[in-house]
């Protein structure tokens, strides 16, 4: 029986959102060989923008954690659209982007919002390496964004 990522998300007590549509001329997921790349996902839920502003100013570290969870759910929704859970070998790497106020330095706590969710939902398939990148600004003033690479089984 083919298992979906949606089932795994629901077993964790969460809801897999409808994948957001791209904001430009690109595909949200590209698979080359056995490696998949998920384009940047923002904290968009039901078409509404959430967690806009700079961490340490308009947004707290806790806000960032929950915003990063939404980004991670959107990434899972994109992956689910292209492959089943049974074909997912695992996540490889996540790259987290955030905008923050001067002096704010709690990015690892924010990115744990994505890492914790991936580990909870995907178990061993959710293990990943990660990068954290502070940027001057993100589209639509989002406080955070997330890209994901994964391996799928042939």
């Amino acid at each position: 029986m083919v298992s979906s990522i949606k089932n795994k998300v629901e077993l964790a007590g969460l809801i897999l959102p409808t994948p957001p549509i791209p904001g430009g001329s690109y595909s949200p997921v590209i698979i080359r060989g056995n490696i998949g790349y998920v384009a940047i996902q923002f904290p968009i839920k039901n078409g509404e923008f959430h967690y806009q502003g700079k961490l340490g100013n308009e947004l707290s570290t806790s806000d960032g954690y929950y915003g990063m969870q939404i980004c991670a759910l959107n990434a899972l929704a994109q992956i689910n659209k292209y492959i089943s859970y049974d074909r997912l070998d695992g996540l490889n790497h996540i790259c987290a982007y955030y905008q923050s106020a001067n002096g704010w330095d709690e990015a690892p706590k924010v990115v744990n919002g994505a890492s914790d969710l991936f580990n909870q939902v995907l178990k061993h398939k959710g293990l990943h390496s990660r990068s954290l990148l502070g940027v001057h600004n993100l589209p639509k003033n989002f406080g955070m964004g997330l890209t994901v690479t994964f391996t799928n089984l042939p």
Side-chain angles (χ1 to χ4, degrees), residues 95-117:
C95 190
Y97 300 86
Y98 64 92
Q99 58 177 19
S100 66
N102 288 336
W104 180 87
D105 190 25
E106 296 186 334
K109 292 178 183 177
V110 166
V111 182
N112 281 345
S115 293
D116 292 348
L117 186 137

Side-chain angles (χ1 to χ4, degrees), residues 15-24 26 39-52 63 66-78 138-146:
I15 297 170
L16 191 70
T18 301
I21 58 170
Y26 62 91
I40 194 164
Q41 300 296 301
F42 295 109
I44 300 170
K45 190 173 180 181
N46 300 322
E48 295 180 19
F49 296 171
H50 296 273
Y51 301 106
Q52 293 170 287
D63 290 334
Y66 293 115
M68 204 49 90
Q69 281 188 327
I70 295 172
C71 296
L73 283 169
N74 285 334
L76 289 177
Q78 297 292 3
L138 289 167
K140 308 295 184 194
N141 197 33
F142 286 118
M144 66 288 304
L146 181 72

Side-chain angles (χ1 to χ4, degrees), residues 85 89-91 118-119 122-128:
Y85 177 79
D89 189 38
L91 302 185
F118 289 140
N119 293 330
L122 301 177
K123 308 296 184 212
H124 70 281
K125 293 183 180 188
L127 296 176
H128 56 274

Side-chain angles (χ1 to χ4, degrees), residues 1-5 7-8 11 84-88 125:
M1 178 164 109
V2 175
S3 176
S4 73
I5 292 168
N7 297 128
K8 299 298 180 187
L11 285 173
S84 69
Y85 177 79
D86 294 335
R87 287 196 49 225
L88 178 66
K125 293 183 180 188

